[in-house]
Amino acid sequence: MKLLSKLAVPVIAAVTLLSAPAAAENVAIHAGSVIVDANSEPTGPATIILKDGKIVRVADGYLKPTEYDRYVDLSDKTVLPGMIDLHTHLSGDPSGEFWRAATTPPEYYTLIAAKNARITALAGFTTVRDLGSRTDQVTQMLRRATAEGIVAGPRVVTSARTISIVGGHGDTNGFHKHVNDVLDSGFTCTGPVECSEKVREASKYGADLIKITATGGVLSQQGRGLEAHFTDAEMKSIVDTAETLGLKVAAHAHGARGIEAAARAGVHTIEHGTYIDKAAADAMKANGTTLVPTLMAFEGIKTNLGTGFYTPVVEDKIRTVGQFAGTIVERANEYGVKIAFGTDAGVFPHGQNAGELALMRKGGMSDRAVLASATTVAAEVLGLEDEIGRIAPGFSADIIAVDGNPLADVSVLEDVDFVMVRGRVIE
């Protein structure tokens, strides 16, 4: 048996970081208390038994560590499921220098993605949905590398490249035409047939879901407003094609009528939802569409206003949306829209993801509802509710530990002391 004390956690982490759990290895975690899911109260002292990266059992009290191959002492911590961020951009860091796209090779973005994967995991996020990577294949390869334990990081679900209209948010713009043409990722479309083809192409290259920019956006170098970009027919074609391939669709959407149109088309999630109103909310509820509000993104971009960080056209859009961003969750709650956790990390620094929790609570959600949004609700959005989001037999050993009780004060999750992803300790 290997005895793992609190002080020894970093040592064993360094050993296990780049390899899968040993075959048939039995691990015992002594927890001061366990929150098995957001609907449950903290237990008393408990032992979590793991084998081959899976949870086998949660037992009351402390079982004898001598019966197990490895022992982790978290007896002074609250242990709970790892959090899930449904909106990240791991291959990018905050920048207003849009021109860097013309000077930075794809290999650099791969290194950035690996860096940010580790930072994100250490912040307590054991699964992320990455919605738009900087280059082809970078997040698909990161997905593989974290799954195999080559790179320290969370489970990655990725849309890879974003599908957008020609000349809209998500398309390459802000450069001379010949530079735009060189940088074009090939994932823009016009008309239902071409848009359907782009979905099939995204599936061909390994996307787990489809991401579209259903409306204008804030950080792109075009000032065409924040309402609908795609036609109804184009969005319906995208959603219908995705469904034939078993893929869900996430829609970046700010304007209310763009949100409404995307929901009517059948998208699975609305990202941002800045101008959500009752008509948009009704369409979302009729379709079963979930809102991912990304409040941290709005907080992050506001801090750079007036500093020269962004171009004037972007600054104008930031000021326009800023007055509405603080009430997104409040309005969604009023209209009865389902809300799941997502941050848009990459617009603000990675690792600060948990700041979204307090912002959601400020919008009127309870601590318990906020925790659920980042665990069980987010797992349902991903279709992984039988694998992640809870500490229960058969679930992945995605585990974090903190001081205090997040059901009483969700902000304690901003300081995570221990992280395990798929049974691997992240150091």
Side-chain angles (χ1 to χ4, degrees):
M1 181 206 68
K2 299 173 184 176
L3 182 63
L4 184 59
S5 70
K6 301 180 194 69
L7 295 178
V9 167
V11 177
I12 194 67
V15 174
T16 62
L17 183 60
L18 300 181
S19 61
E25 182 183 49
N26 290 291
V27 180
I29 298 176
H30 281 182
S33 66
V34 177
I35 299 175
V36 297
D37 60 44
N39 291 322
S40 303
E41 295 300 324
T43 67
T47 304
I48 305 170
I49 306 302
L50 316 175
K51 185 175 181 179
D52 299 335
K54 298 283 188 180
I55 298 166
V56 175
R57 180 186 175 197
V58 181
D60 292 335
Y62 295 144
L63 304 181
K64 292 181 179 179
T66 53
E67 299 175 3
Y68 300 94
D69 301 310
R70 190 152 56 92
Y71 162 56
V72 181
D73 183 6
L74 299 174
S75 57
D76 60 347
K77 304 292 180 184
T78 299
V79 176
L80 66 155
M83 292 181 285
I84 303 164
D85 190 334
L86 292 174
H87 194 130
T88 66
H89 299 281
L90 292 175
S91 59
D93 284 327
S95 175
E97 298 173 334
F98 72 95
W99 52 267
R100 287 192 180 276
T103 63
T104 304
E107 291 83 359
Y108 181 77
Y109 292 122
T110 301
L111 297 173
I112 292 295
K115 169 188 75 76
N116 289 332
R118 177 179 175 274
I119 290 170
T120 301
L122 287 173
F125 291 86
T126 55
T127 297
V128 301
R129 189 176 63 158
D130 195 273
L131 296 182
S133 57
R134 295 295 182 96
T135 60
D136 292 334
Q137 296 293 311
V138 61
T139 48
Q140 295 96 310
M141 294 303 98
L142 182 66
R143 176 182 61 197
R144 174 179 172 182
T146 56
E148 294 178 357
I150 296 170
V151 169
R155 174 184 290 94
V156 176
V157 178
T158 180
S159 68
R161 302 308 291 268
T162 297
I163 299 176
S164 59
I165 66 164
V166 176
H169 183 66
D171 189 13
T172 303
N173 52 62
F175 299 98
H176 189 281
K177 183 181 183 303
H178 75 273
V179 179
N180 284 340
D181 291 343
V182 170
L183 294 175
D184 182 12
S185 69
F187 277 92
T188 57
C189 60
T190 298
V193 173
E194 191 173 42
C195 289
S196 175
E197 179 186 6
K198 296 305 177 184
V199 173
R200 292 188 173 109
E201 194 171 338
S203 176
K204 175 181 177 179
Y205 290 107
D208 297 309
L209 75 153
I210 301 301
K211 159 79 178 300
I212 65 170
T213 50
T215 74
V218 176
L219 297 183
S220 57
Q221 303 304 313
Q222 56 86 20
R224 301 292 191 272
L226 298 173
E227 273 299 350
H229 273 185
F230 287 92
T231 66
D232 289 356
E234 287 168 338
M235 284 197 287
K236 190 67 167 64
S237 174
I238 288 169
V239 172
D240 288 349
T241 304
E243 286 182 352
T244 67
L245 295 167
L247 302 176
K248 297 174 180 177
V249 179
H252 155 111
H254 288 288
R257 303 290 68 79
I259 297 169
E260 184 179 0
R264 282 199 314 266
V267 303
H268 192 59
T269 60
I270 293 290
E271 312 297 313
H272 316 307
T274 310
Y275 294 95
I276 186 171
D277 61 11
K278 187 177 186 303
D282 287 345
M284 290 178 67
K285 289 187 291 184
N287 180 65
T289 302
T290 301
L291 174 66
V292 181
T294 68
L295 304 178
M296 277 294 289
F298 297 105
E299 290 295 306
I301 59 179
K302 283 193 301 185
T303 62
N304 294 312
L305 277 174
T307 65
F309 194 80
Y310 299 116
T311 62
V313 66
V314 171
E315 286 225 351
D316 286 345
K317 290 189 285 183
I318 293 172
R319 290 189 169 90
T320 298
V321 302
Q323 57 189 311
F324 296 93
T327 62
I328 294 171
V329 168
E330 182 180 342
R331 280 177 279 138
N333 274 325
E334 177 186 347
Y335 303 137
V337 171
K338 185 178 180 180
I339 300 172
F341 185 97
T343 67
D344 212 356
V347 171
F348 65 93
H350 294 275
Q352 298 178 12
N353 312 52
E356 183 89 10
L357 300 162
L359 295 174
M360 295 175 80
R361 183 177 60 184
K362 186 178 179 181
M365 296 176 68
S366 68
D367 294 277
R368 188 180 297 275
V370 172
L371 179 59
S373 77
T375 51
T376 51
V377 176
E380 290 170 7
V381 169
L382 293 173
L384 296 175
E385 64 270 27
D386 294 328
E387 184 176 350
I388 60 175
R390 302 180 67 226
I391 294 181
F395 277 62
S396 180
D398 296 352
I399 294 169
I400 63 175
V402 296
D403 292 324
N405 177 7
L407 294 174
D409 179 6
V410 76
S411 66
V412 301
L413 293 170
E414 294 180 32
D415 186 11
V416 173
D417 297 312
F418 173 90
V419 180
M420 175 180 281
V421 182
R422 292 183 168 115
R424 304 184 188 101
V425 177
I426 306 292
E427 193 277 317

